[in-house]
Amino acid sequence: MTAGPDQAAIDELVGAARAGRPRAVARLISAVENDSPALRPLMAALAPYTGRAHVIGITGAPGVGKSTITGALVAAYRTREWRVGVLAIDPSSPFTGGALLGDRVRMQQHALDGEVFIRSMASRGHLGGLSVATPQALRVFDAAGCDVVLVETVGVGQSEVEIAANADSTLVLLAPGMGDGIQAAKAGVLEIGDVFVVNKADRDGVQSLIREIRTMIAMAERDPARWKPPITKTVAASGDGIDELVAEIDKHRAHAEGDGSWQQRRLHRAAAEVESLAMAYLRRRVRFHRGDELQDLALSVRDGKLDAYTAADQVLTSLREGARPTTQPSGS
Amino acid sequence: MTAGPDQAAIDELVGAARAGRPRAVARLISAVENDSPALRPLMAALAPYTGRAHVIGITGAPGVGKSTITGALVAAYRTREWRVGVLAIDPSSPFTGGALLGDRVRMQQHALDGEVFIRSMASRGHLGGLSVATPQALRVFDAAGCDVVLVETVGVGQSEVEIAANADSTLVLLAPGMGDGIQAAKAGVLEIGDVFVVNKADRDGVQSLIREIRTMIAMAERDPARWKPPITKTVAASGDGIDELVAEIDKHRAHAEGDGSWQQRRLHRAAAEVESLAMAYLRRRVRFHRGDELQDLALSVRDGKLDAYTAADQVLTSLREGARPTTQPSGS
């Protein structure tokens, strides 16, 4: 065993997080972000307390109003006295500034609410990137007693599908007059939507956008026994339609719990989480233990002396020879 | 050794592709797409003939005119009598239809030109996804004697940065009146742009968009010795500004070749290619050889009986015990 934080300190931190103390939650998310050496025992200690939170993914092109919808949903869930987590995922650099500042302004009304945990997470610097860090952060919110966790992507460039993979219910946001209908179809987001939200529904073009979405849902030819995604209209800035949206999300949960897809989806998520973590450690091993060899091979590939398949073979062969059967951090 | 296609057949196909026969090029790209068992010897045979093509990545939000710019660039390079490859990458499902059809219409004028190879590639079903398939497809175009290969993403949801990683020169397209300036910054695309293209420059708002881009380039605080990305104006639909754009791309190449960044970037690409391939084979091993175990572990993780880190450890341990030191397809 490596020397790590003692069990008493871990128990204390986990206890404080479970009691909903914001600083403890923040420290745990930081441990995820920094890939702290204490992360393994911490996640092991948190595991028994996970599985309760309803994770809601919020996807959509920039400008459709994701942050505003998120803020409105926080307010709606707070009227139920639910504990709410918000995870804003910024796949670009951690210091782009504008986007996150914008979110913070919209979230200001909840900033002093001790039952609302708001955290943004950037993709850089994590072991395995967001595919590893996101589920761990969600587990922290979950163990901290959140009834619902809203996951929102900030900015473009991130796979919406990847975010949806972490959610129990995925909202796909669109807005009239942005050419989003057809664009959304290209990215395959229609396939991941559990609830479609036409935001800015006070603008022209709402009906034609709804028709377009309806047509595309019909084209997807889903199994009739499966959940048929509803289309809800909102004006998030004024709160119009938010109660109806919340009701549709509730219905989706009830339906998914009823037909078994809720637990099935969570099983897929857990498998993806374990696989991502295993792959992240393998990638680290390739980079840190076979880094020089990789550079030499890359030089040969670049110069046409070797093909990439033969080079990959060599990496795998020497990885196996130097393999260590553990994911323990190795001083790197 | 597994039984594969004989060397004579491989040599013939590679020879036909090098001679620029479209059917041979198409067959090789299909081999990449289908992860054909013949792919390894084929890529080995192609390797010595790669490294010549100038790979130009074309990125930008939906609606800025990526396909139109691509078509205009094909026409421009054909006036030089260059052999041109076009790789349209569709990160969504292979059968969304609309987007690719749109491209084909715009590409129609080149469809009968034997010196233009146009191919679209979807992300599904490849070993390792597009991060493995894209560089292999580029190598096919390259070995087939293309002087330039244009790589364009279709639709949203794909990491623009990932596409840029495959390019010698990356064009970042923006257009006035789409709110793209600020949105682009969020995704970090400003950091990957070698040439900025303000398309639809006959619309209102061009000057303010250019100012915005200029400010952001200045904020990025690049090394003064490094290439300073120019901003070019185009109206791709009418061909305005395309000659200037081509000239800027030429300048970028000359600069990059001069300061060593061209070869350095290609080295990074080759390293990423080898690593992606190695990781793809490791992932396949995890899925196919440890699939049942992964499902059992995922069940425990879902139900809070195990944390994901301990589960990942177990996968790695048993992977090592059952490891085979080769990337050869194992009948799966």
Side-chain angles (χ1 to χ4, degrees):
Chain A
M1 292 293 286
T2 52
D6 61 89
Q7 197 58 42
I10 285 168
D11 291 346
E12 196 188 326
L13 184 56
V14 168
R18 287 188 63 209
R21 301 232 182 88
R23 281 193 57 184
V25 176
R27 275 186 61 194
L28 286 168
I29 303 265
S30 294
V32 170
E33 282 202 310
N34 304 328
D35 191 29
S36 149
L39 194 56
R40 295 169 55 91
L42 283 170
M43 296 314 296
L46 289 172
Y49 310 111
T50 57
R52 247 191 84 254
H54 184 175
V55 178
I56 301 173
I58 298 170
T59 70
V64 292
K66 289 196 293 285
S67 305
T68 320
I69 287 272
T70 303
L73 285 174
V74 172
Y77 287 119
R78 287 301 297 135
T79 65
R80 295 183 174 182
E81 305 205 338
W82 280 14
R83 191 172 283 175
V84 181
V86 177
L87 186 64
I89 304 217
D90 185 353
S92 58
S93 73
F95 299 114
T96 44
L100 291 178
L101 235 66
D103 292 328
R104 280 187 200 132
V105 171
R106 288 191 192 96
M107 289 295 166
Q108 235 160 32
Q109 61 174 124
H110 308 296
L112 296 174
D113 184 341
E115 295 290 303
V116 180
F117 306 128
I118 301 171
R119 186 73 180 223
S120 62
M121 206 160 59
S123 66
R124 292 196 183 160
H126 303 301
L127 167 81
L130 289 171
S131 60
V132 165
T134 301
Q136 308 307 326
L138 291 174
R139 284 181 189 285
V140 170
F141 281 132
D142 189 356
C146 287
D147 300 281
V148 67
V149 183
L150 307 169
V151 188
E152 179 207 344
T153 38
V154 176
V156 282
Q158 169 69 354
S159 167
E160 303 279 318
V161 179
E162 200 176 306
I163 298 307
N166 285 296
D168 296 310
S169 304
T170 298
L171 314 188
V172 173
L173 271 60
L174 300 116
M178 297 186 59
D180 283 310
I182 199 73
Q183 300 300 349
K186 286 185 190 174
V189 294
L190 291 175
E191 290 158 39
I192 60 168
D194 297 308
V195 177
F196 288 89
V197 184
V198 174
N199 193 32
K200 304 188 181 180
D202 51 349
R203 288 193 185 173
D204 287 345
V206 172
Q207 285 315 313
S208 70
L209 177 56
I210 289 177
R211 270 195 305 274
E212 203 176 356
I213 301 168
R214 204 168 274 149
T215 306
M216 288 184 165
I217 292 174
M219 274 167 55
E221 291 176 44
R222 294 167 191 249
D223 178 344
R226 274 180 61 199
W227 170 253
K228 186 171 175 294
I231 305 169
T232 61
K233 286 188 286 186
T234 56
V235 184
S238 68
D240 281 5
I242 295 300
D243 289 346
E244 292 79 357
L245 172 57
V246 168
E248 292 294 353
I249 296 169
D250 286 342
K251 276 190 215 161
H252 175 251
R253 175 175 189 151
H255 187 279
E257 285 180 335
D259 75 357
S261 60
W262 182 271
Q263 283 295 77
Q264 194 56 42
R265 205 188 272 196
R266 287 186 164 199
L267 182 61
H268 283 306
R269 260 157 66 187
E273 187 182 345
V274 174
E275 188 188 285
S276 293
L277 211 42
M279 294 310 294
Y281 281 108
L282 286 169
R283 188 180 290 273
R284 175 186 275 185
R285 262 192 225 160
V286 168
R287 289 202 181 153
F288 288 90
H289 300 299
R290 304 263 75 83
D292 292 344
E293 183 185 0
L294 189 62
Q295 282 304 302
D296 290 344
L297 290 166
L299 207 60
S300 298
V301 169
R302 182 193 72 182
D303 297 339
K305 292 173 190 154
L306 195 70
D307 68 287
Y309 289 83
T310 306
D313 264 353
Q314 286 199 25
V315 170
L316 293 182
T317 303
S318 49
L319 187 69
R320 182 183 173 236
E321 282 160 9
R324 277 183 267 179
T326 172
T327 59
Q328 298 285 356
S330 50
S332 60
Chain B
M1 291 292 288
T2 51
D6 62 89
Q7 197 58 41
I10 285 167
D11 292 346
E12 196 187 328
L13 184 55
V14 168
R18 287 190 61 210
R21 300 232 183 87
R23 281 194 58 183
V25 175
R27 276 186 62 195
L28 286 169
I29 303 264
S30 294
V32 170
E33 282 202 309
N34 305 328
D35 191 29
S36 150
L39 193 57
R40 294 170 56 90
L42 283 170
M43 295 315 295
L46 288 172
Y49 310 112
T50 57
R52 248 191 83 255
H54 183 175
V55 178
I56 301 173
I58 299 171
T59 70
V64 292
K66 290 195 293 283
S67 306
T68 319
I69 287 272
T70 302
L73 285 175
V74 172
Y77 287 119
R78 287 301 297 135
T79 65
R80 294 184 176 181
E81 305 206 338
W82 280 15
R83 191 172 283 175
V84 182
V86 177
L87 186 64
I89 304 215
D90 186 352
S92 59
S93 73
F95 300 114
T96 44
L100 290 178
L101 235 65
D103 292 327
R104 280 186 200 132
V105 171
R106 288 192 193 96
M107 290 293 166
Q108 235 160 31
Q109 61 175 123
H110 308 295
L112 296 174
D113 184 341
E115 295 291 305
V116 180
F117 305 129
I118 301 172
R119 185 71 180 224
S120 61
M121 207 160 60
S123 66
R124 289 195 185 159
H126 303 302
L127 166 81
L130 289 172
S131 60
V132 165
T134 301
Q136 308 308 324
L138 291 174
R139 283 182 190 284
V140 170
F141 282 132
D142 189 356
C146 287
D147 300 280
V148 66
V149 183
L150 307 168
V151 188
E152 180 206 345
T153 39
V154 176
V156 279
Q158 169 69 356
S159 167
E160 302 279 318
V161 179
E162 201 176 306
I163 297 306
N166 286 297
D168 297 310
S169 304
T170 299
L171 315 187
V172 173
L173 271 59
L174 300 116
M178 298 185 60
D180 284 311
I182 200 71
Q183 301 299 350
K186 286 185 191 174
V189 294
L190 290 175
E191 291 159 39
I192 61 167
D194 297 308
V195 178
F196 287 88
V197 184
V198 174
N199 193 30
K200 305 188 181 179
D202 51 349
R203 289 193 183 172
D204 288 343
V206 172
Q207 285 315 314
S208 69
L209 178 55
I210 289 177
R211 268 195 306 273
E212 204 176 356
I213 301 168
R214 204 167 275 151
T215 306
M216 289 184 165
I217 291 174
M219 275 168 54
E221 291 177 43
R222 294 167 191 249
D223 179 344
R226 274 180 61 201
W227 171 251
K228 188 170 174 296
I231 307 169
T232 61
K233 286 188 287 185
T234 57
V235 183
S238 68
D240 282 3
I242 295 300
D243 289 345
E244 291 79 0
L245 172 57
V246 167
E248 292 293 353
I249 297 169
D250 287 343
K251 275 189 215 162
H252 175 251
R253 175 176 191 151
H255 187 279
E257 286 180 334
D259 75 357
S261 60
W262 182 272
Q263 283 294 78
Q264 193 56 40
R265 204 188 274 195
R266 288 186 162 198
L267 182 61
H268 284 306
R269 262 157 67 186
E273 187 182 345
V274 174
E275 188 189 284
S276 294
L277 210 43
M279 295 308 297
Y281 281 108
L282 285 169
R283 188 179 290 275
R284 173 186 278 185
R285 261 191 225 161
V286 167
R287 288 202 181 153
F288 287 91
H289 299 299
R290 304 262 75 85
D292 292 343
E293 183 186 0
L294 190 60
Q295 282 303 304
D296 291 343
L297 289 166
L299 207 59
S300 298
V301 169
R302 183 194 70 182
D303 297 339
K305 293 173 192 155
L306 195 69
D307 68 286
Y309 289 83
T310 306
D313 263 353
Q314 287 199 25
V315 171
L316 293 182
T317 303
S318 50
L319 186 69
R320 182 183 173 236
E321 281 160 9
R324 277 183 266 178
T326 171
T327 58
Q328 298 284 355
S330 52
S332 59

